[in-house]
Amino acid sequence: MTGLVVARKEKLAEDVAGLTLRDPSGAPVPAWTPGAHIDLCLPGGLERQYSLCGDPADRSAWSIAVLCEPDSRGGSAFVHNGLSEGDVVRVRGPRNNFPLVPASRYLFVAGGIGITPIVPMVAEADARGADWRLCYGGRTRASMAFAGELTAKYGDRVTVLPQDEHGLLPLDTLLDSTAAVYCCGPEALIQAVEARCAGVHVERFTPKQDTGERTAFEVELANSGRTLHVPADRSILETVEAAGVPVLSSCREGTCGTCETEVLGGTPDHRDSLLTEAERASGETMMICVSRSCGPRLVLEL
């Protein structure tokens, strides 16, 4: 974890603030690739994940865009109202759970603040000489960060469709099964794209709804030989922490990947919003903040 200074704070769109973060000493910030995010560690124990949306080649600073959400649990409200230029914030990362895979054709679908990880992806796809398109929806044109600069730079490869002008994105006609499809935005948009397109690459800002039954089980910590009882009303992460075992974690809701842990025995009951179906089927790792066990016992690399 490191401390970075807010070198610039600006309004990018209606209810969207942009932050430029630099090392106070002028040192380069860590390298990153399109799709990466960082954790902002805010007062009161708040930790929130925000996608990097600048230029990966620019090591002088990181850029993020933060939507001020009406039902915010405190993170976005603090960024908008509590952070000023010159303030120092603690940052962890970057991590990339949403990498841009090699492909000859891409279709990017963004909704609202979901445009943030897509901006550097579009630039990378264009630099690779790939055939690509971006369809970007939002509540209103005024609320859609980066819309103007994207259309100015890339022309008709970018389609901007504000909901108040065009309605919901016409996914049935937009989606292309021959392209690598990347989607980020509200859960309703992600679910609609997933229902129409197999193998879509997604990143969620909010967790999937967990409706699964919660039962107790045991977890063996392979590195210490300890076995812990995980009650129905407590997560593996909470149980391990209560036993005094240090585990790195951040979002605690299965969206960031910080607590991903190797599974050495047993079958995980995956309840995260991050792993692909292939990764879930392999059973090699799990997010211990939300996922549970399909059987009476798990063995973890802890």
Side-chain angles (χ1 to χ4, degrees), residues 134-216:
L134 165 63
C135 186
Y136 179 18
R139 292 184 295 104
T140 65
R141 195 173 294 273
S143 72
M144 299 172 68
F146 307 111
E149 63 188 72
L150 286 168
T151 53
K153 185 173 184 179
Y154 300 114
D156 60 6
R157 284 194 169 191
V158 177
T159 303
V160 176
L161 299 174
Q163 186 174 346
D164 64 339
E165 298 176 22
H166 301 278
L168 297 176
L169 295 181
L171 297 179
D172 290 330
T173 57
L174 286 172
L175 292 179
D176 180 355
S177 61
T178 66
V181 179
Y182 279 77
C183 178
C184 188
E187 182 63 20
L189 172 63
I190 292 176
Q191 289 186 4
V193 173
E194 287 181 323
R196 292 167 170 81
C197 184
V200 60
H201 304 267
V202 304
E203 178 155 76
R204 286 177 159 87
F205 294 142
T206 56
K208 293 180 180 178
Q209 186 176 5
D210 180 6
T211 58
E213 182 182 2
R214 295 171 66 91
T215 58

Side-chain angles (χ1 to χ4, degrees), residues 96-119:
N96 198 339
N97 302 314
F98 191 42
L100 188 66
V101 301
S104 59
R105 303 183 65 229
Y106 296 95
L107 172 62
F108 301 102
V109 182
I113 199 63
I115 191 64
T116 50
I118 301 298
V119 170

